[in-house]
Short mmCIF file of all heavy atoms in Angstrom, two decimals:
data_model
loop_
_atom_site.label_atom_id
_atom_site.label_comp_id
_atom_site.label_asym_id
_atom_site.label_seq_id
_atom_site.Cartn_x
_atom_site.Cartn_y
_atom_site.Cartn_z
N MET A 1 -74.96 -44.92 -19.48
CA MET A 1 -75.78 -45.42 -20.57
C MET A 1 -76.74 -46.53 -20.07
O MET A 1 -76.50 -47.09 -19.02
CB MET A 1 -74.88 -46.00 -21.71
CG MET A 1 -74.06 -47.25 -21.25
SD MET A 1 -73.03 -47.91 -22.57
CE MET A 1 -74.25 -48.75 -23.53
N GLN A 2 -77.80 -46.79 -20.80
CA GLN A 2 -78.73 -47.82 -20.39
C GLN A 2 -78.32 -49.12 -21.03
O GLN A 2 -77.79 -49.15 -22.16
CB GLN A 2 -80.14 -47.46 -20.91
CG GLN A 2 -80.75 -46.28 -20.17
CD GLN A 2 -81.82 -46.74 -19.19
OE1 GLN A 2 -82.66 -47.52 -19.52
NE2 GLN A 2 -81.71 -46.28 -17.98
N CYS A 3 -78.58 -50.20 -20.32
CA CYS A 3 -78.26 -51.49 -20.86
C CYS A 3 -79.07 -51.68 -22.16
O CYS A 3 -80.21 -51.52 -22.20
CB CYS A 3 -78.64 -52.57 -19.84
SG CYS A 3 -78.26 -54.23 -20.43
N PRO A 4 -78.36 -52.11 -23.21
CA PRO A 4 -79.04 -52.19 -24.52
C PRO A 4 -79.99 -53.38 -24.65
O PRO A 4 -80.68 -53.48 -25.60
CB PRO A 4 -77.84 -52.38 -25.51
CG PRO A 4 -76.73 -52.88 -24.67
CD PRO A 4 -76.93 -52.36 -23.30
N CYS A 5 -79.99 -54.26 -23.65
CA CYS A 5 -80.89 -55.42 -23.73
C CYS A 5 -82.32 -55.03 -23.39
O CYS A 5 -83.24 -55.81 -23.60
CB CYS A 5 -80.40 -56.57 -22.94
SG CYS A 5 -80.95 -56.56 -21.21
N GLY A 6 -82.48 -53.85 -22.80
CA GLY A 6 -83.84 -53.39 -22.46
C GLY A 6 -84.24 -53.72 -21.03
O GLY A 6 -85.38 -53.48 -20.66
N CYS A 7 -83.34 -54.18 -20.22
CA CYS A 7 -83.66 -54.55 -18.84
C CYS A 7 -83.79 -53.31 -17.98
O CYS A 7 -84.30 -53.42 -16.85
CB CYS A 7 -82.63 -55.53 -18.26
SG CYS A 7 -81.01 -54.77 -18.04
N GLY A 8 -83.36 -52.18 -18.46
CA GLY A 8 -83.46 -50.95 -17.65
C GLY A 8 -82.30 -50.64 -16.79
O GLY A 8 -82.30 -49.60 -16.15
N GLU A 9 -81.35 -51.54 -16.74
CA GLU A 9 -80.14 -51.33 -15.92
C GLU A 9 -79.32 -50.17 -16.44
O GLU A 9 -79.20 -49.98 -17.64
CB GLU A 9 -79.30 -52.61 -15.95
CG GLU A 9 -78.24 -52.60 -14.91
CD GLU A 9 -78.51 -53.59 -13.82
OE1 GLU A 9 -79.43 -54.41 -13.92
OE2 GLU A 9 -77.84 -53.53 -12.79
N THR A 10 -78.79 -49.37 -15.51
CA THR A 10 -77.91 -48.31 -15.94
C THR A 10 -76.47 -48.82 -15.77
O THR A 10 -76.12 -49.30 -14.76
CB THR A 10 -78.13 -47.07 -15.10
OG1 THR A 10 -79.47 -46.63 -15.25
CG2 THR A 10 -77.19 -45.93 -15.52
N ILE A 11 -75.71 -48.64 -16.82
CA ILE A 11 -74.35 -49.09 -16.80
C ILE A 11 -73.46 -47.86 -16.67
O ILE A 11 -73.57 -46.87 -17.43
CB ILE A 11 -73.99 -49.80 -18.10
CG1 ILE A 11 -74.90 -50.99 -18.35
CG2 ILE A 11 -72.52 -50.27 -18.08
CD1 ILE A 11 -74.78 -51.61 -19.67
N GLU A 12 -72.66 -47.89 -15.64
CA GLU A 12 -71.75 -46.75 -15.42
C GLU A 12 -70.36 -47.16 -15.96
O GLU A 12 -69.74 -48.12 -15.48
CB GLU A 12 -71.68 -46.38 -13.97
CG GLU A 12 -72.96 -45.80 -13.49
CD GLU A 12 -72.87 -45.25 -12.09
OE1 GLU A 12 -71.79 -44.73 -11.69
OE2 GLU A 12 -73.87 -45.39 -11.36
N LEU A 13 -69.91 -46.48 -16.94
CA LEU A 13 -68.60 -46.77 -17.53
C LEU A 13 -67.64 -45.71 -17.04
O LEU A 13 -67.84 -44.50 -17.20
CB LEU A 13 -68.74 -46.69 -19.09
CG LEU A 13 -69.62 -47.74 -19.65
CD1 LEU A 13 -69.66 -47.52 -21.20
CD2 LEU A 13 -69.19 -49.15 -19.37
N MET A 14 -66.60 -46.25 -16.47
CA MET A 14 -65.60 -45.31 -15.94
C MET A 14 -64.44 -45.19 -16.95
O MET A 14 -63.75 -46.17 -17.20
CB MET A 14 -65.07 -45.82 -14.63
CG MET A 14 -66.09 -45.63 -13.48
SD MET A 14 -65.69 -46.57 -12.01
CE MET A 14 -66.21 -48.22 -12.50
N ILE A 15 -64.34 -44.07 -17.52
CA ILE A 15 -63.30 -43.83 -18.53
C ILE A 15 -62.26 -42.79 -18.09
O ILE A 15 -61.59 -42.26 -18.86
CB ILE A 15 -63.93 -43.45 -19.92
CG1 ILE A 15 -64.86 -42.25 -19.74
CG2 ILE A 15 -64.69 -44.65 -20.47
CD1 ILE A 15 -65.40 -41.70 -21.09
N MET A 16 -62.30 -42.59 -16.79
CA MET A 16 -61.33 -41.60 -16.29
C MET A 16 -60.00 -42.27 -16.11
O MET A 16 -59.87 -43.47 -15.85
CB MET A 16 -61.77 -41.08 -14.92
CG MET A 16 -63.01 -40.19 -15.00
SD MET A 16 -63.57 -39.69 -13.37
CE MET A 16 -64.20 -41.22 -12.73
N GLU A 17 -58.98 -41.48 -16.25
CA GLU A 17 -57.61 -41.98 -16.04
C GLU A 17 -57.43 -42.50 -14.63
O GLU A 17 -57.88 -41.87 -13.69
CB GLU A 17 -56.59 -40.92 -16.37
CG GLU A 17 -56.54 -40.46 -17.83
CD GLU A 17 -56.04 -41.54 -18.72
OE1 GLU A 17 -55.17 -42.30 -18.28
OE2 GLU A 17 -56.48 -41.58 -19.88
N GLY A 18 -56.75 -43.58 -14.52
CA GLY A 18 -56.36 -44.07 -13.21
C GLY A 18 -57.41 -44.82 -12.44
O GLY A 18 -57.20 -45.19 -11.32
N VAL A 19 -58.57 -45.05 -13.04
CA VAL A 19 -59.63 -45.76 -12.38
C VAL A 19 -59.69 -47.16 -12.99
O VAL A 19 -59.62 -47.34 -14.18
CB VAL A 19 -61.00 -45.02 -12.54
CG1 VAL A 19 -62.10 -45.82 -11.91
CG2 VAL A 19 -60.88 -43.64 -11.98
N TYR A 20 -59.88 -48.11 -12.13
CA TYR A 20 -59.96 -49.49 -12.66
C TYR A 20 -61.18 -50.14 -12.04
O TYR A 20 -61.41 -50.05 -10.84
CB TYR A 20 -58.72 -50.29 -12.29
CG TYR A 20 -58.67 -51.65 -12.96
CD1 TYR A 20 -58.14 -51.78 -14.25
CD2 TYR A 20 -59.21 -52.76 -12.29
CE1 TYR A 20 -58.16 -53.02 -14.85
CE2 TYR A 20 -59.19 -54.01 -12.90
CZ TYR A 20 -58.68 -54.15 -14.21
OH TYR A 20 -58.70 -55.34 -14.78
N PRO A 21 -62.03 -50.85 -12.75
CA PRO A 21 -61.91 -51.12 -14.18
C PRO A 21 -62.30 -49.84 -14.95
O PRO A 21 -63.10 -49.05 -14.54
CB PRO A 21 -62.91 -52.19 -14.43
CG PRO A 21 -63.95 -52.03 -13.41
CD PRO A 21 -63.23 -51.50 -12.18
N ARG A 22 -61.74 -49.75 -16.11
CA ARG A 22 -62.04 -48.60 -16.94
C ARG A 22 -62.05 -49.04 -18.40
O ARG A 22 -61.59 -50.13 -18.75
CB ARG A 22 -60.97 -47.54 -16.77
CG ARG A 22 -59.57 -47.91 -17.14
CD ARG A 22 -58.63 -46.76 -16.86
NE ARG A 22 -58.86 -45.69 -17.80
CZ ARG A 22 -58.31 -45.62 -19.03
NH1 ARG A 22 -57.52 -46.53 -19.42
NH2 ARG A 22 -58.54 -44.61 -19.83
N TRP A 23 -62.62 -48.18 -19.21
CA TRP A 23 -62.68 -48.47 -20.59
C TRP A 23 -62.00 -47.33 -21.41
O TRP A 23 -62.07 -46.22 -21.01
CB TRP A 23 -64.12 -48.57 -21.10
CG TRP A 23 -64.76 -49.88 -20.68
CD1 TRP A 23 -64.87 -51.00 -21.45
CD2 TRP A 23 -65.35 -50.17 -19.43
NE1 TRP A 23 -65.50 -51.99 -20.66
CE2 TRP A 23 -65.79 -51.49 -19.48
CE3 TRP A 23 -65.61 -49.44 -18.27
CZ2 TRP A 23 -66.45 -52.12 -18.40
CZ3 TRP A 23 -66.22 -50.04 -17.20
CH2 TRP A 23 -66.65 -51.38 -17.28
N ASP A 24 -61.42 -47.73 -22.51
CA ASP A 24 -60.94 -46.73 -23.42
C ASP A 24 -62.04 -46.41 -24.42
O ASP A 24 -62.67 -47.34 -24.92
CB ASP A 24 -59.73 -47.26 -24.16
CG ASP A 24 -58.50 -47.29 -23.28
OD1 ASP A 24 -58.23 -46.27 -22.59
OD2 ASP A 24 -57.74 -48.30 -23.32
N ILE A 25 -62.26 -45.22 -24.66
CA ILE A 25 -63.25 -44.80 -25.62
C ILE A 25 -62.57 -44.03 -26.75
O ILE A 25 -61.73 -43.15 -26.51
CB ILE A 25 -64.40 -43.99 -24.97
CG1 ILE A 25 -65.50 -43.77 -25.97
CG2 ILE A 25 -63.87 -42.69 -24.38
CD1 ILE A 25 -66.83 -43.33 -25.31
N GLN A 26 -62.91 -44.45 -27.96
CA GLN A 26 -62.36 -43.74 -29.14
C GLN A 26 -63.54 -43.32 -30.00
O GLN A 26 -64.50 -44.05 -30.12
CB GLN A 26 -61.46 -44.67 -29.95
CG GLN A 26 -60.23 -45.13 -29.17
CD GLN A 26 -59.40 -46.14 -29.96
OE1 GLN A 26 -59.89 -46.69 -30.90
NE2 GLN A 26 -58.22 -46.39 -29.50
N THR A 27 -63.44 -42.16 -30.59
CA THR A 27 -64.46 -41.73 -31.54
C THR A 27 -63.83 -41.58 -32.87
O THR A 27 -62.74 -41.11 -33.01
CB THR A 27 -65.10 -40.41 -31.08
OG1 THR A 27 -64.06 -39.51 -30.73
CG2 THR A 27 -65.99 -40.64 -29.88
N ASP A 28 -64.58 -42.06 -33.89
CA ASP A 28 -64.06 -41.95 -35.23
C ASP A 28 -64.42 -40.57 -35.80
O ASP A 28 -64.92 -39.69 -35.08
CB ASP A 28 -64.56 -43.11 -36.12
CG ASP A 28 -66.09 -43.05 -36.32
OD1 ASP A 28 -66.71 -42.01 -35.99
OD2 ASP A 28 -66.64 -44.01 -36.83
N THR A 29 -64.16 -40.39 -37.08
CA THR A 29 -64.29 -39.08 -37.69
C THR A 29 -65.76 -38.63 -37.75
O THR A 29 -66.01 -37.43 -37.84
CB THR A 29 -63.75 -39.09 -39.12
OG1 THR A 29 -64.29 -40.22 -39.81
CG2 THR A 29 -62.22 -39.20 -39.11
N ARG A 30 -66.69 -39.54 -37.60
CA ARG A 30 -68.08 -39.16 -37.54
C ARG A 30 -68.61 -39.18 -36.10
O ARG A 30 -69.81 -39.18 -35.92
CB ARG A 30 -68.94 -40.14 -38.41
CG ARG A 30 -68.57 -39.95 -39.91
CD ARG A 30 -68.96 -41.19 -40.62
NE ARG A 30 -70.11 -40.94 -41.51
CZ ARG A 30 -70.74 -41.91 -42.15
NH1 ARG A 30 -70.38 -43.18 -42.10
NH2 ARG A 30 -71.78 -41.61 -42.92
N ASN A 31 -67.68 -39.12 -35.17
CA ASN A 31 -68.07 -39.01 -33.76
C ASN A 31 -68.83 -40.21 -33.22
O ASN A 31 -69.62 -40.08 -32.29
CB ASN A 31 -68.89 -37.73 -33.53
CG ASN A 31 -68.42 -36.97 -32.31
OD1 ASN A 31 -67.27 -37.07 -31.99
ND2 ASN A 31 -69.29 -36.27 -31.66
N ARG A 32 -68.51 -41.38 -33.77
CA ARG A 32 -69.17 -42.59 -33.25
C ARG A 32 -68.22 -43.24 -32.25
O ARG A 32 -67.05 -43.49 -32.62
CB ARG A 32 -69.49 -43.53 -34.39
CG ARG A 32 -70.47 -42.94 -35.37
CD ARG A 32 -70.71 -43.83 -36.55
NE ARG A 32 -69.50 -44.07 -37.31
CZ ARG A 32 -69.44 -44.66 -38.48
NH1 ARG A 32 -70.58 -45.09 -39.08
NH2 ARG A 32 -68.32 -44.89 -39.09
N PRO A 33 -68.68 -43.55 -31.08
CA PRO A 33 -67.81 -44.08 -30.08
C PRO A 33 -67.56 -45.56 -30.22
O PRO A 33 -68.45 -46.34 -30.58
CB PRO A 33 -68.53 -43.82 -28.77
CG PRO A 33 -70.02 -43.81 -29.16
CD PRO A 33 -70.08 -43.34 -30.59
N THR A 34 -66.33 -45.96 -29.90
CA THR A 34 -65.97 -47.34 -29.84
C THR A 34 -65.30 -47.59 -28.50
O THR A 34 -64.45 -46.81 -28.09
CB THR A 34 -64.96 -47.74 -30.98
OG1 THR A 34 -65.61 -47.61 -32.22
CG2 THR A 34 -64.45 -49.14 -30.84
N LEU A 35 -65.77 -48.60 -27.81
CA LEU A 35 -65.24 -48.87 -26.47
C LEU A 35 -64.37 -50.13 -26.49
O LEU A 35 -64.62 -51.08 -27.22
CB LEU A 35 -66.43 -49.19 -25.49
CG LEU A 35 -67.19 -48.00 -24.92
CD1 LEU A 35 -68.21 -48.56 -23.92
CD2 LEU A 35 -66.22 -47.08 -24.16
N TYR A 36 -63.34 -50.07 -25.69
CA TYR A 36 -62.54 -51.22 -25.46
C TYR A 36 -62.17 -51.31 -24.01
O TYR A 36 -61.80 -50.27 -23.40
CB TYR A 36 -61.23 -51.13 -26.34
CG TYR A 36 -60.36 -52.35 -26.17
CD1 TYR A 36 -60.58 -53.45 -26.97
CD2 TYR A 36 -59.41 -52.42 -25.16
CE1 TYR A 36 -59.80 -54.59 -26.79
CE2 TYR A 36 -58.62 -53.54 -24.96
CZ TYR A 36 -58.81 -54.63 -25.77
OH TYR A 36 -58.08 -55.75 -25.63
N PRO A 37 -62.24 -52.42 -23.32
CA PRO A 37 -62.70 -53.71 -23.87
C PRO A 37 -64.20 -53.78 -23.89
O PRO A 37 -64.88 -52.77 -23.77
CB PRO A 37 -62.11 -54.71 -22.85
CG PRO A 37 -62.08 -53.92 -21.55
CD PRO A 37 -61.80 -52.50 -21.95
N SER A 38 -64.72 -55.00 -24.04
CA SER A 38 -66.15 -55.20 -24.09
C SER A 38 -66.79 -54.93 -22.72
O SER A 38 -66.12 -54.88 -21.70
CB SER A 38 -66.51 -56.61 -24.53
OG SER A 38 -65.94 -57.53 -23.60
N VAL A 39 -68.09 -54.68 -22.72
CA VAL A 39 -68.81 -54.43 -21.48
C VAL A 39 -69.49 -55.71 -21.09
O VAL A 39 -70.19 -56.36 -21.89
CB VAL A 39 -69.87 -53.33 -21.71
CG1 VAL A 39 -70.63 -53.05 -20.42
CG2 VAL A 39 -69.20 -52.05 -22.22
N TRP A 40 -69.25 -56.12 -19.84
CA TRP A 40 -69.79 -57.39 -19.36
C TRP A 40 -70.39 -57.18 -18.02
O TRP A 40 -69.68 -56.87 -17.07
CB TRP A 40 -68.68 -58.45 -19.35
CG TRP A 40 -69.20 -59.85 -19.19
CD1 TRP A 40 -70.49 -60.22 -19.01
CD2 TRP A 40 -68.40 -61.02 -19.21
NE1 TRP A 40 -70.58 -61.60 -18.96
CE2 TRP A 40 -69.32 -62.13 -19.04
CE3 TRP A 40 -67.02 -61.29 -19.34
CZ2 TRP A 40 -68.88 -63.43 -19.06
CZ3 TRP A 40 -66.60 -62.60 -19.34
CH2 TRP A 40 -67.49 -63.68 -19.18
N LEU A 41 -71.70 -57.25 -17.93
CA LEU A 41 -72.38 -57.07 -16.68
C LEU A 41 -72.24 -58.36 -15.84
O LEU A 41 -72.70 -59.42 -16.26
CB LEU A 41 -73.86 -56.77 -16.89
CG LEU A 41 -74.16 -55.28 -17.08
CD1 LEU A 41 -73.56 -54.77 -18.35
CD2 LEU A 41 -75.69 -55.03 -17.10
N LYS A 42 -71.65 -58.22 -14.71
CA LYS A 42 -71.39 -59.34 -13.86
C LYS A 42 -72.60 -59.75 -13.02
O LYS A 42 -72.62 -60.75 -12.37
CB LYS A 42 -70.20 -59.09 -12.91
CG LYS A 42 -68.89 -58.87 -13.66
CD LYS A 42 -68.42 -60.15 -14.33
CE LYS A 42 -66.96 -60.06 -14.72
NZ LYS A 42 -66.75 -59.24 -15.91
N SER A 43 -73.64 -58.88 -13.03
CA SER A 43 -74.87 -59.17 -12.28
C SER A 43 -75.99 -58.80 -13.15
O SER A 43 -75.83 -58.30 -14.26
CB SER A 43 -74.88 -58.39 -10.95
OG SER A 43 -74.86 -57.02 -11.22
N GLY A 44 -77.24 -59.04 -12.65
CA GLY A 44 -78.40 -58.69 -13.43
C GLY A 44 -78.53 -59.55 -14.67
O GLY A 44 -78.42 -60.78 -14.62
N CYS A 45 -78.69 -58.88 -15.80
CA CYS A 45 -78.97 -59.57 -17.06
C CYS A 45 -77.69 -60.22 -17.65
O CYS A 45 -77.79 -61.01 -18.61
CB CYS A 45 -79.57 -58.65 -18.10
SG CYS A 45 -78.47 -57.29 -18.56
N ARG A 46 -76.52 -59.89 -17.12
CA ARG A 46 -75.28 -60.49 -17.57
C ARG A 46 -75.01 -60.22 -19.05
O ARG A 46 -74.46 -61.07 -19.76
CB ARG A 46 -75.22 -62.01 -17.29
CG ARG A 46 -75.21 -62.27 -15.76
CD ARG A 46 -75.21 -63.74 -15.50
NE ARG A 46 -75.38 -63.96 -14.01
CZ ARG A 46 -74.27 -64.08 -13.27
NH1 ARG A 46 -73.08 -64.09 -13.69
NH2 ARG A 46 -74.49 -64.27 -11.92
N SER A 47 -75.42 -59.10 -19.53
CA SER A 47 -75.19 -58.76 -20.91
C SER A 47 -73.69 -58.63 -21.13
O SER A 47 -72.93 -58.21 -20.29
CB SER A 47 -75.87 -57.42 -21.28
OG SER A 47 -77.25 -57.59 -21.26
N HIS A 48 -73.29 -59.02 -22.33
CA HIS A 48 -71.94 -58.96 -22.77
C HIS A 48 -71.90 -58.44 -24.18
O HIS A 48 -72.43 -59.07 -25.07
CB HIS A 48 -71.26 -60.33 -22.66
CG HIS A 48 -69.78 -60.27 -22.80
ND1 HIS A 48 -69.02 -61.42 -22.87
CD2 HIS A 48 -68.91 -59.24 -22.91
CE1 HIS A 48 -67.73 -61.07 -22.98
NE2 HIS A 48 -67.64 -59.73 -23.04
N PHE A 49 -71.34 -57.25 -24.38
CA PHE A 49 -71.42 -56.66 -25.71
C PHE A 49 -70.25 -55.71 -25.88
O PHE A 49 -69.57 -55.31 -24.97
CB PHE A 49 -72.77 -55.90 -25.91
CG PHE A 49 -72.96 -54.79 -24.90
CD1 PHE A 49 -72.49 -53.50 -25.20
CD2 PHE A 49 -73.59 -55.02 -23.69
CE1 PHE A 49 -72.67 -52.49 -24.26
CE2 PHE A 49 -73.74 -53.99 -22.75
CZ PHE A 49 -73.29 -52.71 -23.04
N TRP A 50 -70.03 -55.42 -27.16
CA TRP A 50 -69.09 -54.42 -27.57
C TRP A 50 -69.88 -53.21 -28.06
O TRP A 50 -70.95 -53.33 -28.52
CB TRP A 50 -68.19 -54.93 -28.71
CG TRP A 50 -67.32 -56.07 -28.35
CD1 TRP A 50 -67.71 -57.38 -28.38
CD2 TRP A 50 -65.99 -56.07 -27.95
NE1 TRP A 50 -66.66 -58.16 -27.98
CE2 TRP A 50 -65.57 -57.40 -27.71
CE3 TRP A 50 -65.05 -55.02 -27.71
CZ2 TRP A 50 -64.27 -57.69 -27.28
CZ3 TRP A 50 -63.77 -55.33 -27.31
CH2 TRP A 50 -63.43 -56.69 -27.11
N LEU A 51 -69.20 -52.04 -27.93
CA LEU A 51 -69.77 -50.89 -28.55
C LEU A 51 -68.74 -50.49 -29.62
O LEU A 51 -67.61 -50.15 -29.30
CB LEU A 51 -69.92 -49.75 -27.53
CG LEU A 51 -70.69 -48.51 -28.05
CD1 LEU A 51 -72.15 -48.90 -28.36
CD2 LEU A 51 -70.62 -47.40 -27.03
N ARG A 52 -69.16 -50.62 -30.86
CA ARG A 52 -68.26 -50.34 -31.97
C ARG A 52 -68.93 -49.34 -32.93
O ARG A 52 -69.99 -49.61 -33.45
CB ARG A 52 -67.95 -51.63 -32.77
CG ARG A 52 -67.03 -52.57 -31.95
CD ARG A 52 -66.46 -53.63 -32.84
NE ARG A 52 -65.58 -54.47 -32.03
CZ ARG A 52 -65.59 -55.84 -32.06
NH1 ARG A 52 -66.48 -56.46 -32.81
NH2 ARG A 52 -64.76 -56.52 -31.28
N LYS A 53 -68.25 -48.21 -33.10
CA LYS A 53 -68.74 -47.19 -33.96
C LYS A 53 -70.18 -46.83 -33.64
O LYS A 53 -71.01 -46.67 -34.54
CB LYS A 53 -68.58 -47.58 -35.45
CG LYS A 53 -67.14 -47.76 -35.81
CD LYS A 53 -66.95 -48.03 -37.27
CE LYS A 53 -65.44 -48.11 -37.55
NZ LYS A 53 -65.15 -48.44 -38.98
N GLY A 54 -70.46 -46.70 -32.34
CA GLY A 54 -71.76 -46.29 -31.92
C GLY A 54 -72.83 -47.37 -31.94
O GLY A 54 -74.00 -47.07 -31.62
N ARG A 55 -72.49 -48.55 -32.33
CA ARG A 55 -73.46 -49.63 -32.40
C ARG A 55 -73.11 -50.72 -31.41
O ARG A 55 -71.95 -51.04 -31.19
CB ARG A 55 -73.48 -50.23 -33.82
CG ARG A 55 -73.90 -49.23 -34.84
CD ARG A 55 -74.11 -49.87 -36.20
NE ARG A 55 -75.13 -50.92 -36.16
CZ ARG A 55 -75.46 -51.65 -37.21
NH1 ARG A 55 -74.86 -51.51 -38.36
NH2 ARG A 55 -76.41 -52.52 -37.05
N VAL A 56 -74.16 -51.34 -30.84
CA VAL A 56 -73.99 -52.40 -29.89
C VAL A 56 -73.78 -53.70 -30.72
O VAL A 56 -74.54 -54.03 -31.57
CB VAL A 56 -75.22 -52.54 -28.95
CG1 VAL A 56 -75.09 -53.80 -28.15
CG2 VAL A 56 -75.27 -51.31 -28.06
N VAL A 57 -72.71 -54.38 -30.37
CA VAL A 57 -72.43 -55.70 -31.00
C VAL A 57 -72.46 -56.72 -29.88
O VAL A 57 -71.61 -56.72 -29.00
CB VAL A 57 -71.05 -55.70 -31.68
CG1 VAL A 57 -70.77 -57.05 -32.33
CG2 VAL A 57 -70.97 -54.55 -32.73
N TRP A 58 -73.46 -57.56 -29.91
CA TRP A 58 -73.60 -58.56 -28.86
C TRP A 58 -72.54 -59.62 -28.92
O TRP A 58 -72.16 -60.07 -30.05
CB TRP A 58 -74.97 -59.22 -28.95
CG TRP A 58 -76.04 -58.27 -28.56
CD1 TRP A 58 -76.86 -57.60 -29.43
CD2 TRP A 58 -76.39 -57.83 -27.26
NE1 TRP A 58 -77.70 -56.77 -28.72
CE2 TRP A 58 -77.45 -56.89 -27.42
CE3 TRP A 58 -75.93 -58.13 -26.01
CZ2 TRP A 58 -78.03 -56.24 -26.32
CZ3 TRP A 58 -76.47 -57.49 -24.89
CH2 TRP A 58 -77.51 -56.55 -25.05
N CYS A 59 -72.04 -59.97 -27.77
CA CYS A 59 -71.05 -61.03 -27.71
C CYS A 59 -71.70 -62.40 -27.78
O CYS A 59 -72.57 -62.67 -27.01
CB CYS A 59 -70.27 -60.89 -26.40
SG CYS A 59 -68.69 -60.28 -26.62
N LYS A 60 -71.29 -63.18 -28.74
CA LYS A 60 -71.75 -64.56 -28.79
C LYS A 60 -70.56 -65.41 -28.53
O LYS A 60 -69.40 -65.04 -28.86
CB LYS A 60 -72.37 -64.84 -30.13
CG LYS A 60 -73.58 -63.97 -30.38
CD LYS A 60 -74.37 -64.45 -31.60
CE LYS A 60 -75.61 -63.60 -31.81
NZ LYS A 60 -75.38 -62.59 -32.89
N PRO A 61 -70.83 -66.62 -28.03
CA PRO A 61 -69.63 -67.48 -27.71
C PRO A 61 -68.70 -67.70 -28.89
O PRO A 61 -67.50 -67.84 -28.68
CB PRO A 61 -70.30 -68.79 -27.23
CG PRO A 61 -71.66 -68.38 -26.77
CD PRO A 61 -72.07 -67.20 -27.60
N GLU A 62 -69.23 -67.72 -30.03
CA GLU A 62 -68.38 -68.06 -31.21
C GLU A 62 -67.51 -66.90 -31.67
O GLU A 62 -66.52 -67.08 -32.34
CB GLU A 62 -69.19 -68.66 -32.38
CG GLU A 62 -70.21 -67.69 -32.94
CD GLU A 62 -71.56 -67.89 -32.26
OE1 GLU A 62 -71.61 -68.42 -31.12
OE2 GLU A 62 -72.58 -67.53 -32.90
N ASN A 63 -67.93 -65.65 -31.35
CA ASN A 63 -67.14 -64.55 -31.80
C ASN A 63 -66.53 -63.74 -30.67
O ASN A 63 -66.03 -62.64 -30.86
CB ASN A 63 -67.93 -63.65 -32.74
CG ASN A 63 -69.10 -62.96 -32.07
OD1 ASN A 63 -69.20 -62.94 -30.80
ND2 ASN A 63 -69.97 -62.33 -32.80
N CYS A 64 -66.60 -64.32 -29.48
CA CYS A 64 -66.15 -63.54 -28.33
C CYS A 64 -65.13 -64.40 -27.53
O CYS A 64 -65.42 -65.53 -27.25
CB CYS A 64 -67.39 -63.28 -27.44
SG CYS A 64 -67.22 -61.78 -26.59
N VAL A 65 -64.05 -63.80 -27.23
CA VAL A 65 -63.07 -64.50 -26.43
C VAL A 65 -63.03 -63.86 -25.06
O VAL A 65 -62.88 -62.67 -24.99
CB VAL A 65 -61.70 -64.46 -27.11
CG1 VAL A 65 -60.67 -65.23 -26.25
CG2 VAL A 65 -61.77 -65.05 -28.49
ZN1 LIG B 101 -79.64 -55.79 -19.61
#
């Protein structure tokens, strides 16, 4: 997927079993993906966000632990 901030970075999410770090992906009844845990780019734009029900939810200090 492309970084949602618009910087053009490609984020590779590894959701295969046995690979670390990895993310769990769940899709709801309308096929909208939810990722756990949050995605945090350690380099580049350092975006930190959640993907919940197909929507990007930006992590802000007050709602993000
Ligand atoms: Zn970015």
Side-chain angles (χ1 to χ4, degrees):
M1 65 180 284
Q2 289 257 311
C3 180
C5 88
C7 67
E9 192 109 11
T10 300
I11 304 170
E12 291 187 36
L13 298 177
M14 286 167 283
I15 54 174
M16 293 177 288
E17 294 291 328
V19 177
Y20 188 87
R22 62 180 292 272
W23 284 264
D24 285 316
I25 188 163
Q26 295 175 346
T27 47
D28 67 10
T29 50
R30 294 159 108 186
N31 225 29
R32 297 177 299 190
T34 295
L35 279 182
Y36 182 88
S38 61
V39 180
W40 195 355
L41 274 65
K42 297 291 196 283
S43 61
C45 63
R46 295 177 185 269
S47 291
H48 191 187
F49 60 91
W50 296 85
L51 190 65
R52 287 193 179 133
K53 297 185 177 178
R55 298 187 61 182
V56 172
V57 180
W58 291 101
C59 253
K60 299 191 178 101
E62 61 267 24
N63 66 10
C64 211
V65 179

